[in-house]
Every structure is written in C-alpha cells, then in structure tokens.
Amino acid sequence: MSTTVSDERLRAVSPWRKLLSRPELGAVAGAVLVFIFFAVVAGDSGFLNFRGVVSWLEVSAQLGILAVAAALLMIGGEFDLSMGSMIGAAGMVIAIPVAEYGWPVWAAILLAFAVALLIGYLNGTIVNRTRLPSFIVTLASLFILRGLTIGATRLITGRTQVSGLKDAAEADPLARLFIGDIFGVPVSVYWWVALAVIATWILLKTRPGNWIFGVGGDPEAARNTGVPVNRVRIALFMGTAVAATIFAALQVLDFGSADVTRGVQKEFEAIIAAVIGGCLLTGGYGSAVGAVFGALVFGMVQQGIFFTGVNTDWFQVFLGAMLLIAVVFNNFIRRRATEAK
Amino acid sequence: MTVSARAERDPLIRITDLSKFFGSVIALQGVTMTVYPGEVMCLLGDNGAGKSTLIKTLSGVHKPSQGEIEIEGRPVTFNSPKDALDAGIATVHQHLAIQPLMSVTRNFFMGREPTRGWGPFRTFDLAFAETTVREEMQKMGIDVRDPSQAVGTMSGGERQCVAIARAVYFGAKVLILDEPTSALGVKQAAVVLRYIAQAKAKGLAVVFITHNVHHAYPVADAFTILKRGRSYGTFRKSELTREQVLEMMAGGQELDALEAEIKEFTRSDGDGGVAPQTSKTVRREQGVKP
Ligand SMILES: Nc1ncnc2c1ncn2[C@@H]1O[C@H](COP(=O)(O)OP(=O)(O)O)[C@@H](O)[C@H]1O
Ligand SMILES: [Mg+2]
C-alpha cells in the first residue's frame, strides 16, 4: 500500500522502535540470554549436545502446549487455575476405561477430550454468569476437579495410580500421535509448534482473534460493538482444558501409566510462561509466540540448572525472579504502547 | 406534533411506552418516540434524564423492562448489541466503545471484521481494513498517521472521531450519537454535523444527543425532551425557537434562576462555576428574542 499520508507530525519510526513495542520481545531476548548463559556455563556438560537439546526442548514443549492456551485465555482477560487438575483428571479418563473396562485407547482419548470441552464450557459459563473473577472460579475448579479425580479413581480402582497401558497404547492408531518421536525429536515438540502456529494465526489473522483482544481489553466495549463476549470466553476456557488434555495424553500414553497427582502446579507454570511471554495480567495484550519463548526460557533454565550440576532446588528462586522481572518489563512496554503520544 | 404532514411516510423507529428499571431505579418511564427516515431527532434533557439509557435500549445494550421498539414497522427484540448492529443500527456511545491497547484498524472493525477466503480458512482482511480506515478518517479531516497505532496513543478527540467514523461507516438505517461532539474541537464538530446532515439526506434516521444548542438546532428536525426518565413530548423544529430549545436543554424553570445567576456573574465579570461561554450564549439568545 502506498503511503498517501504526508503528515508532518509523522516522525519516521525506526524498525527497531517498532520491534521494541512487540509483546514477545522480552521473552525472545530472555531466551537468547538464557541460552547463551547455559551454553557458556554448561555447554560441555551436555546442554548443547543433541540429547541435551532434546531434553530441554521436551520440557519446554510440554509446558509450551499449556502456555499457548493459557496465553490466549489471558489475552482474553481470564485465568484458568484448574489446568493442572485437568491434567490429572484427563489422565485418569484415558487410563481407567482402558485398564479397567478394556476400552480401545482411541475411544478413551476421545472421551477425555469430550470431558475437557465440558469442563471448559462449565468454567466459562460460570465466569460469564456470576461475573466473578475467573481466578476465584477456577480456583474452586482446581480443588473440585482434583478431589473428584482422586475420589473417583480410588473408588473404581482402589488405588491412586493406574498403569499397564503401554502395550495397548503402542498398538493404537490415535495414541500414536502422542507417543515417541519423529526424526529423534519428541512428538510433544511438534504439538507445541503446531499449536503455537494455530494460536498465532487465530490471534492475528482471524475475526475471533480480534474478539479475544477486545474481550480482554474491555469486555463492555467489545459487547457494544457486537462481539459475542460470552462465547469467546467459553471457547478460550475450552482451549485451556483441551491443552491440559493433550499434555495428559502425551504423558500418560508415553509412560503407560496415570497418577491422580499429575499436573500439580502446572497452571502456575503455564501462567508464568505466558507472562514471561508478554501477556498482561489485565488482559487485552500479549502473544502466543511470546508464550512459546516463555516456555523455552522455562525449559532451558530447568534443564540447564540440572546440567550445570547445581542443586535443582535453586530453580524456583530463578523462576520467581524471572516472573518479577517479566512483569515489571511488561508494565513498562504497556505504558509505552498506550501513552506514547 | 404535526403528524398529518408525514402520515404517508412510515416511521423508521417507533418506541412505544418504553420503561427501563435498574432494580429500584426507574431510568425510563413510559417513553414514546417516533423517528422518520431522513430525520434527525435530537434528544434533550439534563444529566441523568435517561437519554443514554434510552439509546442503549435502542442499540441492544439494555433490554426494555416494558414497552416496545419497532424498526420499519416490525417489532424487534435485541438480545445483544450485535442484533441491533445487524439490523443496521450503529451507535456512538457516550463512553466510547474503544479498546485503548488495540490498533485503530482493529478497533474500527471490532465485531464487524471484513474477511476473505473460505470456510475455516477465512481471515481478517487487514489490508482492506487499513485502507478503509485511512479513507474514512481522512473524510473527517484526520490523517491517521499509522493505522496499526494503538488507539491509546491518540488524543481524546481523535478517539471520538474513530468511534464516529465507525458508526457512520456501519450505520445502514439508523445512526445514534450520544454526545458525540463534547470532546471535539470546532473543526471536527462541524465535520460531525455535516455527517449527520449527510446521513439524513441518505434517508437514515438519526438520534442525536448533545448539550450544545448550536450543534442541535441547525441539524435537528424534531426534539424530544426527557426529564427524570419521562418524556415531555416531541416537538417539530418549526414549533420551537432556538431559545426555547435552549431553555429545554437547561431544564425549563431552572433557566430563569440561571439567568438571574448569570446576570450576577456578568456584573462582577465573574469567575464562578458556570462556564463563561454559557453566559455569552444566553445573552446572545436574549438579544434575538422577539
Ligand atoms: N446500569 C445502571 N444501573 C443503575 N442505574 C442506572 C444504570 N444506568 C443508568 N442508571 C440511572 O438511570 C438514570 C439515567 O441515566 P442516563 O441514561 O445515563 O442519563 P443521561 O444520559 O440522560 O445523562 C440515572 O439516574 C442513572 O443513575
Ligand atoms: Mg448520557
């Protein structure tokens, strides 16, 4: 498009400045720094060789799957604290029908996704109807879902772990999507990239993407311009529940066993990755690409500390500090984006 | 109201006995109003009179507690602002429905995004959207420096212009403007008034709320006065003089008190609470009085 505008007030903005106002900038820069740091410190103790790279990529990928969905939801102005519990629940919904009732694995997987859609629908509907902060609503779901998972599993199986799925999973056509690796790279990495691409495409290139930003920025304004605010929210909560189920399928089918405590605290890790990725806690701003890099930072730090031989207890200190830096940085960016006159 | 002259024309909007309650608050009570195509209806009334509430029920933000709305003779029930927009009713709300963190283009087309492509691969046609935004804003005399610029970086008047340009662009049958000129400079306000005149010429029905008699009088065909949630009736422009309109805006009898007060101010060449331009206006109107 030709620039018809000859406004004398239009100062030439360098591409560099434009880049600076992208939400994912912080996470990309952070990822580069973290990579360089561990490449120098732990480069010869395995961080850089193929198996090392695959190990931190896999950690990043699994978290990244959750983080991308959490980022979309955060841009839409909400949180889902029940993601971790959803992982435990979905794992059991896959494992119990197969191990206890002899279901084919693909049927159990489909059931788990159906349950996830239902849970997401319920979370979204409760938030819409009560107009309570989703933080509180999904905090309730976190406990209800975890409690239901533990209670029902013990009731049905008498235990809190279900195993012996490995053979059935390896023979199943649908389960294959969640097992093993392609060209030496775990399938989770492909899921991560595919979901990030889809999420980015939705956000930036489609109508619902525009609505997500609008709903998160100012739901009342969005509704007044004709955006189906409630439906957008419900779809986003379904997205986080489905992402949790993909995560669960990847773990349960790979290990061949499920445990009721799977996924504990994953909701926080997903939110941290999304925030490092530039999502504002207040909604309306952020990116899926940012969440990808947020998860990458997370994975590199977690595995990098392991490779340096430092006690991994220190990981959490690092994590908290990163979160704080990211939030401060994001606030600065937001002020630049809105107030730069 | 002189109904006979327009008996052969069907009203575009007919509001019958409309009430709106918020819990125990009666925001509107039994309001009846008719707007014809190609006509500008000016809603007058003090703050809190219920003007915004009335246009919010017209634009699908609120559901009426009682009463009926007909568009082109058909009773309508708007379950959401989207229904009203789909019916060709576009609104500039008093508190602009604008997203500060989003770009001008994304704001302009929020909820009405142009698409291209097919089925699940339909995409938001941003190139078309940006060209359109530039053109529409240019018509208002505003060069959008960068359509991907966040609206939050624009001045209040520019933001208002985005909301108005959007409504003008999407308003197919009815254009509703709730105090659209309050944050605008003289030049942009004139553009808005010209828009209203254009919309009227195209046969749209326009509902226009303003506190400025110089904005209301030139474009209006009829005035409906609201007071404490009730309608004091609709008057044709031919039935009213400018100063009568002004009097209605200030809320009738209060104007006499105001006039006395203003006399006080002008004598002491005042500082006081009333804006100086109000006093000037009143004096000029007094001069015109037959
Ligand atoms: N959502 C609401 N809940 C409760 N009261 C409201 C609401 N909206 C408007 N009101 C009340 O209705 C009355 C009319 O308000 P409004 O239509 O905004 O007046 P105007 O636009 O004429 O200044 C006011 O007394 C206001 O407090
Ligand atoms: Mg108002």
Side-chain angles (χ1 to χ4, degrees), chain A residues 155-308:
Chain A
L155 203 66
I156 296 169
T157 67
R159 286 164 289 143
T160 56
Q161 279 185 329
V162 177
S163 54
L165 305 166
K166 209 158 180 77
D167 294 339
E170 263 156 22
D172 189 89
L174 188 58
R176 296 271 285 281
L177 290 176
F178 301 94
I179 299 175
D181 44 46
I182 305 169
F183 305 123
V185 179
V187 282
S188 57
V189 175
Y190 295 92
W191 276 101
W192 179 36
V193 173
L195 290 178
V197 169
I198 293 170
T200 302
W201 180 75
I202 290 176
L203 268 183
L204 299 182
K205 296 283 179 197
T206 72
R207 296 188 69 194
N210 211 37
W211 300 346
I212 292 171
F213 282 108
V215 169
D218 183 342
E220 221 42 61
R223 189 174 282 127
N224 286 351
T225 47
V227 174
V229 173
N230 288 352
R231 274 198 285 145
V232 170
R233 279 204 197 108
I234 288 173
L236 290 174
F237 277 108
M238 285 176 159
T240 50
V242 164
T245 304
I246 293 172
F247 182 100
L250 285 166
Q251 291 212 330
V252 168
L253 298 171
D254 204 35
F255 300 156
S257 68
D259 184 318
V260 290
T261 60
R262 275 281 155 71
V264 168
Q265 282 197 5
K266 282 291 167 196
E267 61 281 340
F268 292 118
E269 295 182 7
I271 290 171
I272 291 170
V275 170
I276 293 174
C279 289
L280 287 184
L281 293 159
T282 44
Y285 192 76
S287 88
V289 175
V292 166
F293 282 91
L296 197 57
V297 168
F298 206 107
M300 285 195 292
V301 172
Q302 189 175 332
Q303 295 305 101
I305 287 181
F306 169 78
F307 283 118
T308 53

Side-chain angles (χ1 to χ4, degrees), chain B residues 20-23 25-28 44-56 62 94 178-179 209 211 226 229:
Chain B
K20 178 68 196 173
F21 313 129
F22 296 105
V25 177
I26 301 169
L28 287 175
L44 308 179
D46 212 351
N47 288 325
K51 306 181 297 295
S52 295
T53 306
L54 178 60
I55 62 102
K56 279 182 184 166
H62 297 321
Q94 188 171 9
D178 192 350
E179 305 196 21
I209 301 175
H211 286 296
L226 290 182

Side-chain angles (χ1 to χ4, degrees), chain A residues 1 4-5 7 9-10 18 201 203-207 210-211 213-214 217-218 221-227 280 283-285 334 337-338 340-341, chain B residues 61 81-82 85 93 97-99 101-102 106 110-113 115 120-124 126 130-131 134 143-146 148 150 152-154 166:
Chain A
M1 193 172 55
T4 48
V5 190
D7 193 321
R9 292 168 303 175
L10 185 57
K18 275 211 131 150
W201 180 75
L203 268 183
L204 299 182
K205 296 283 179 197
T206 72
R207 296 188 69 194
N210 211 37
W211 300 346
F213 282 108
D218 183 342
R223 189 174 282 127
N224 286 351
T225 47
V227 174
L280 287 184
Y285 192 76
R334 189 231 333 243
T338 48
K341 280 258 159 71
Chain B
V61 176
K82 184 175 185 303
L85 277 159
H93 289 282
I98 288 279
Q99 305 276 354
L101 284 167
M102 297 182 72
R106 285 179 171 273
M110 178 61 72
R112 323 238 96 201
E113 298 82 0
T115 57
F121 301 106
R122 268 192 320 162
T123 55
F124 180 2
L126 271 165
E130 288 201 349
T131 321
R134 238 186 251 268
D143 271 329
V144 177
R145 281 164 260 181
D146 172 10
S148 62
T153 64
M154 299 177 108
R166 174 173 67 189

Side-chain angles (χ1 to χ4, degrees), chain B residues 259-270:
Chain B
E259 247 172 70
E261 253 177 71
I262 286 165
K263 281 208 186 94
E264 286 295 312
F265 282 136
T266 42
R267 205 169 21 231
S268 57
D269 220 0

Side-chain angles (χ1 to χ4, degrees), chain A residues 10 17 67 72 76 103 138 194 219 240 243 256 266 277 331:
Chain A
L10 185 57
R17 269 185 79 93
L72 289 197
W103 281 36
T138 58
T240 50
K266 282 291 167 196
N331 265 347

Side-chain angles (χ1 to χ4, degrees), chain A residues 42-127:
Chain A
D44 42 9
S45 48
F47 185 77
L48 285 181
N49 68 30
F50 186 74
R51 291 191 49 187
V53 171
V54 164
S55 86
W56 52 259
L57 266 186
E58 186 165 19
V59 171
S60 304
Q62 294 196 351
L63 177 62
I65 289 165
L66 302 176
V68 166
L72 289 197
L73 181 65
M74 277 182 77
I75 296 169
E78 308 293 340
F79 297 97
D80 185 357
L81 297 186
S82 68
M83 284 182 96
S85 299
M86 187 65 226
I87 291 168
M92 280 304 165
V93 174
I94 294 172
I96 291 175
V98 175
E100 297 289 316
Y101 304 109
W103 281 36
V105 179
W106 59 263
I109 293 172
L110 291 183
L111 178 68
F113 279 108
V115 169
L117 290 174
L118 178 70
I119 303 282
Y121 178 84
L122 289 176
N123 275 335
T125 304
I126 294 170
V127 169

Side-chain angles (χ1 to χ4, degrees), chain B residues 43-49 51 210-211 224-227 248-249:
Chain B
L43 269 185
L44 308 179
D46 212 351
N47 288 325
K51 306 181 297 295
T210 175
H211 286 296
T224 294
I225 293 98
L226 290 182
K227 197 170 175 187
M248 287 170 170
M249 282 180 167

